[in-house]
Amino acid sequence: ANCPSNFHFPCAYACGSVFTQNREMYCRNHRNFATDVLPLDRASFEHQKTLRIVDKASSEGGDNFPCFRVGALVVQSLGNICTESDGFHSKHYITPLGYTATRIFWSFVKARTRTLYILKVNETKQSEPLFTVRAIDNPTVVIQGKNVVEAYNNLMKQVMNANKHCFSNRDLFSRLPTKRKGSALYGLNGPQFFGFGLHHVRKALELLPGSEALAVPLTRKSSVYRFCYNNPNICDMTELQRRRAVSAAEKALENSSGSARTEGMSAVDKSGGSGRITRALVRSADEDVGFESGSVRTKNKNGELTFDKESNQAKYAEMKSVPLENRLAAKRSHIHGWGLFTKVDLARHAMIIEYMGEVVSQSIADKRERAYEMSGIGSCYMFRLDSQRIVDATMIGCMARFMNHCCSPNAYAKIITVETDKGLEKKIGIFANRDIGGGEEITYDYKFAVEDGSLRCTCGAPTCTGRMN
């Protein structure tokens, strides 16, 4: 019972040890005390059990996440991924805020002695990562680093300094061991010491909520993490991009009261254009209607083009049959300020909304435009109905005024003629350019004319030209 001999299994076998039915081992000096000795070919051995890494469902449990061990490292908490900061990951490693682990390693207080280190990832006042290492045998000393490599190197300097008398220091006649060189060839590195570089920990980190932020850079200089085990969902990445764009649009707004008319001319100045945006919104009927007003061109049996006014009448009646608030909503847009969003699915060429407002003459529209600019309103919403009349939705209008420009729009404007209680009337209709799903923003091409300068476009479409005129 007091035998001091310890062996690895191959060493025990080579030294003449024996094994019993009760899974006991006796060394060569005490083998005579063994009973029920098993022949080596019949001996059964229990292999070391591998550590089970928690699955995705367990890792998303937040505070209920169980710690797991990988060698001398025990991960207490995986932390949280910062979706609005790109400083807590690199191309190869994820270093989430709040990550906490413990590791048994050589002490920098007493030579040739191991101690327990507490490893944490904190945040500085500048929202940058701070890696800290604290030893149990000297808790008052905190080793820090701006990155994991710096923190690890600072620790290793103190450990080597405490153990420097335990090496031969190039003395060929010394009995002490020689210090190895070339740290890249053996031993731990910074990410492995903290656990970020270990495969099991890395796999668990890639399963954390918000991991899609690691693949969506905030700026052009941001690092994009290369996933090894679990690629993020493309839908989550798209939604994150939209949330970031909406947040950036809100920060760019000088007035966040919710009124599109209170932004003033600064909205035009910040867009990069020096021209008058009010005048550009008044467009001619020829730009939006390339054929007879209120008609849809179709082909008959002979292949000749015909005009289908009944189709527009039916679409107009169908659109009016559903209350506006049940179909559309005005929300914050990642393109600019407020935008128009649909609550329901829309088929291609379906009528979405009617552009409504005060119908005024050309001369009145010119006077109002100058008055809007002098009063500081800045943005006015005028749409030409025909060569003599203009619809002004600046003060009196509907949700259609909130539609934003897009270089790849999902809607188009068209002047149609429909039958109403007052007889035949011209209407400005907004139609779906393609099938539109519920929740999408309704956009169309403003077709701004080039005036004093260009207006910057922030639609973010793949075909975006960067300007609206």
Side-chain angles (χ1 to χ4, degrees):
N2 296 323
C3 180
S5 301
N6 292 285
F7 303 94
H8 296 104
F9 174 75
C11 301
Y13 171 68
C15 294
S17 301
V18 295
F19 302 89
T20 68
Q21 293 277 6
N22 298 326
R23 298 184 180 182
E24 295 177 343
M25 187 201 74
Y26 290 84
C27 66
R28 182 176 58 181
N29 297 331
H30 300 95
R31 60 186 302 172
N32 296 330
F33 296 96
T35 59
D36 298 329
V37 177
L38 283 175
L40 187 61
D41 56 348
R42 293 176 52 196
S44 61
F45 310 103
E46 182 179 356
H47 296 282
Q48 181 181 3
K49 295 181 179 180
T50 57
L51 295 173
R52 183 178 64 86
I53 305 302
V54 295
D55 55 13
K56 181 177 180 180
S58 300
S59 64
E60 293 178 351
D63 297 336
N64 297 325
F65 167 73
C67 62
F68 58 88
R69 176 181 174 183
V70 182
L73 177 79
V74 178
V75 180
Q76 311 292 341
S77 174
L78 293 175
N80 301 294
I81 294 179
C82 301
T83 58
E84 301 303 326
S85 175
D86 56 2
F88 291 87
H89 72 275
S90 63
K91 183 185 298 183
H92 303 290
Y93 303 110
I94 306 173
T95 56
L97 178 63
Y99 176 91
T100 305
T102 57
R103 177 180 282 279
I104 300 174
F105 196 66
W106 297 107
S107 172
F108 62 83
V109 178
K110 187 176 180 180
R112 304 180 66 179
T113 304
R114 290 183 175 87
T115 187
L116 185 69
Y117 288 95
I118 301 176
L119 318 173
K120 288 187 176 182
V121 180
N122 300 319
E123 185 179 18
T124 63
K125 295 181 179 179
Q126 293 76 26
S127 300
E128 297 178 351
L130 180 65
F131 299 84
T132 62
V133 181
R134 190 189 301 269
I136 294 297
D137 56 353
N138 192 4
T140 58
V141 177
V142 180
I143 301 174
Q144 300 179 347
K146 295 181 180 179
N147 54 67
V148 64
V149 176
E150 180 181 345
Y152 174 73
N153 290 338
N154 292 339
L155 171 63
M156 289 303 298
K157 289 179 182 178
Q158 298 198 34
V159 172
M160 297 303 296
N161 184 57
N163 292 272
K164 61 182 180 181
H165 63 279
C166 300
F167 296 94
S168 61
N169 296 321
R170 299 183 180 180
D171 185 358
L172 300 179
F173 300 98
S174 174
R175 298 174 60 184
L176 297 175
T178 302
K179 185 187 300 183
R180 293 182 181 179
K181 294 182 180 180
S183 59
L185 303 179
Y186 74 97
L188 293 172
N189 56 31
Q192 291 176 344
F193 185 85
F194 271 76
F196 310 129
L198 302 178
H199 297 302
H200 295 309
V201 179
R202 189 174 183 177
K203 183 176 182 180
L205 290 173
E206 290 183 3
L207 293 174
L208 285 176
S211 59
E212 64 274 3
L214 308 176
V216 183
L218 282 171
T219 63
R220 293 182 179 179
K221 297 182 179 180
S222 301
S223 299
V224 178
Y225 174 73
R226 294 182 178 179
F227 285 82
C228 297
Y229 304 99
N230 303 280
N231 289 326
N233 189 298
I234 187 66
C235 295
D236 295 337
M237 296 172 60
T238 304
E239 180 61 24
L240 176 62
Q241 288 177 320
R242 184 182 180 279
R243 292 200 307 267
R244 286 179 174 177
V246 171
S247 178
E250 290 181 350
K251 291 180 180 179
L253 289 176
E254 184 175 351
N255 190 300
S256 58
S257 62
S259 175
R261 297 192 300 270
T262 58
E263 297 179 19
M265 287 302 295
S266 59
V268 182
D269 296 336
K270 289 190 290 185
S271 68
S274 58
R276 293 184 299 176
I277 190 171
T278 55
R279 194 60 186 169
L281 279 169
V282 184
R283 63 184 71 175
S284 64
D286 294 337
E287 290 183 353
D288 296 295
V289 184
F291 43 90
E292 183 181 343
S293 297
S295 304
V296 176
R297 287 185 295 184
T298 58
K299 287 186 178 182
N300 57 18
K301 295 181 180 181
N302 299 325
E304 298 176 349
L305 289 176
T306 60
F307 298 97
D308 184 10
K309 294 185 179 181
E310 292 77 9
S311 176
N312 289 331
Q313 184 70 43
K315 291 178 181 178
Y316 181 79
E318 181 182 0
M319 183 268 297
K320 287 291 187 180
S321 65
V322 182
L324 183 63
E325 60 272 12
N326 294 345
R327 297 182 288 109
L328 303 167
K331 301 179 183 178
R332 284 292 190 185
S333 169
H334 72 280
I335 298 177
H336 175 74
W338 293 84
L340 183 65
F341 292 80
T342 176
K343 296 181 178 180
V344 297
D345 296 337
L346 298 170
R348 184 182 181 186
H349 297 312
M351 189 171 183
I352 303 172
I353 192 174
E354 176 191 354
Y355 195 97
M356 296 187 296
E358 290 184 274
V359 180
V360 297
S361 63
Q362 179 68 64
S363 59
I364 297 298
D366 291 338
K367 292 181 180 180
R368 286 190 176 186
E369 180 187 2
R370 291 190 290 270
Y372 292 152
E373 291 181 354
M374 293 179 62
S375 63
I377 292 178
S379 295
C380 73
Y381 305 86
M382 295 184 181
F383 211 120
R384 182 176 294 281
L385 186 60
D386 52 35
S387 59
Q388 301 295 329
R389 296 179 297 170
I390 291 176
V391 177
D392 182 9
T394 306
M395 296 298 180
I396 300 177
C398 64
M399 292 185 188
R401 53 182 283 180
F402 292 113
M403 285 188 298
N404 281 316
H405 166 83
C406 183
C407 297
S408 181
N410 56 13
Y412 61 93
K414 183 175 65 175
I415 300 176
I416 61 176
T417 303
V418 294
E419 185 74 31
T420 65
D421 298 337
K422 300 178 182 179
L424 289 177
E425 286 188 305
K426 286 185 177 181
K427 302 288 185 181
I428 302 174
I430 308 298
F431 294 83
N433 197 30
R434 58 171 174 81
D435 291 341
I436 304 175
E440 285 191 56
E441 181 176 0
I442 305 300
T443 59
Y444 75 117
D445 188 356
Y446 280 4
K447 299 180 182 178
F448 277 171
V450 179
E451 294 183 334
D452 300 332
S454 63
L455 296 169
R456 188 178 64 175
C457 177
T458 58
C459 69
T463 58
C464 181
T465 59
R467 48 186 292 177
M468 292 188 284
N469 56 350

